[in-house]
Each structure stands twice: as C-alpha cells, then as structure tokens.
Amino acid sequence: MSNDIKDIENNSNVQSFLKVIKQKQLVTWFSGRPALTPLGLNDSIVPIIMWSFVDEESDISKRMLFLIDEFKSDIGWKVERLKYNARWRLVPLRVFELAQAHSEYNVFDVAGILEQNEPEFGQLANQEMGKLAAYLERAL
C-alpha cells in the first residue's frame, strides 16, 4: 500500500476526500463537513462536500464524476452541479432524496435532522466517504 493511501486512511474521511481532489489539482475551491475541530471529529454529522473544478470539462474532472457514480456503495451518493454558483456537491443519496421530498428543507437541514435522529447513518456515511477517497486516490 502506498504512503498516500495510508495517509488518506489515517485522516478523517471527509478530509481524506478533500486531500485527494486537492492533490490531483482538480479544484480551485472546496469545503466539507464534518470538519475536524479542536474538539475532534463528530462522525455522526452526515458528510457534505462542495467544490469548484479547475476545469470541469477536463478529462480528469469528468473521470472523477464517473468514478463517484460507479463507486460501489451501501448507501448511495448523489453528485450534482449547483445552478446558482456552478459549484459541485456530493451528498449521500438519502439526504438528497429527503430534501427533494420535503421542499421546506435543504440538504443541510436534512443532515442536521439525521444527525439528531439517526447518528449511525452519519457514521456509516463517513466510513463510506473514507472508502470513496481511497478509491479515487487509486483510480485517478
């Protein structure tokens, strides 16, 4: 196993994903939650990642989106391009579907509700985020 893969597996799962897309020089801006804080990481918080590609038409950007779509997942993931700021967002499919079904909530609202009512879903999603990061590191 390469040192890069070991480093990714030792980071928080969201930070690992962000590290991969930054190291591959795919993005100009990125943000992810849950974030590592001085108090540690709350892995009950459902991961939500946003980014802006350097060039969303490049082959590697298209490959990243394809790989996320093809990732073998127990929970499913939704990646979408946001219309209002041309950024991209990755959320667990369940979060996306609940936000779509309840127009009074956005994905952050739904993530907060799940954190309170089903913290084990956030933990599962964070574990999968780590697997997705390692998968992208190997495949990109």
Side-chain angles (χ1 to χ4, degrees):
M1 186 180 307
S2 74
N3 284 339
D4 287 340
I5 297 291
K6 286 180 188 173
D7 288 345
I8 286 168
E9 290 174 348
N10 291 330
N11 283 334
S12 80
N13 296 315
V14 168
Q15 295 303 314
S16 295
F17 183 95
L18 296 174
K19 182 177 180 182
V20 169
I21 63 175
K22 184 178 175 186
Q23 284 180 338
K24 301 292 182 178
Q25 299 178 345
L26 289 166
V27 297
T28 58
W29 175 90
F30 57 86
S31 176
R33 68 181 295 256
L36 196 55
T37 71
L39 300 176
L41 176 72
N42 180 351
D43 67 353
S44 296
I45 297 173
V46 175
I48 298 175
I49 296 181
M50 297 176 63
W51 68 87
S52 295
F53 281 117
V54 170
D55 177 5
E56 65 185 60
E57 295 300 319
S58 71
D59 289 342
I60 193 167
S61 297
K62 289 177 182 178
R63 178 151 173 78
M64 177 184 153
L65 296 173
F66 172 79
L67 290 168
I68 291 170
D69 190 49
E70 293 295 309
F71 177 65
K72 302 296 185 236
S73 171
D74 292 329
I75 64 169
W77 294 89
K78 172 72 174 170
V79 63
E80 65 179 331
R81 187 175 189 273
L82 302 175
K83 293 178 180 128
Y84 59 88
N85 63 8
R87 291 181 176 161
W88 291 81
R89 178 169 61 197
L90 176 66
V91 298
L93 186 57
R94 182 170 177 212
V95 171
F96 178 81
E97 289 173 343
L98 286 170
Q100 292 293 312
H102 301 279
S103 61
E104 68 273 23
Y105 299 126
N106 63 37
V107 295
F108 295 100
D109 297 330
V110 170
I113 291 167
L114 288 172
E115 177 189 355
Q116 293 299 309
N117 296 320
E118 295 181 48
E120 62 279 358
F121 180 77
Q123 294 163 1
L124 178 61
N126 275 288
Q127 289 170 3
E128 274 213 355
M129 179 62 62
K131 292 175 186 175
L132 177 57
Y135 169 70
L136 290 176
E137 174 64 28
R138 287 188 300 269
L140 284 175

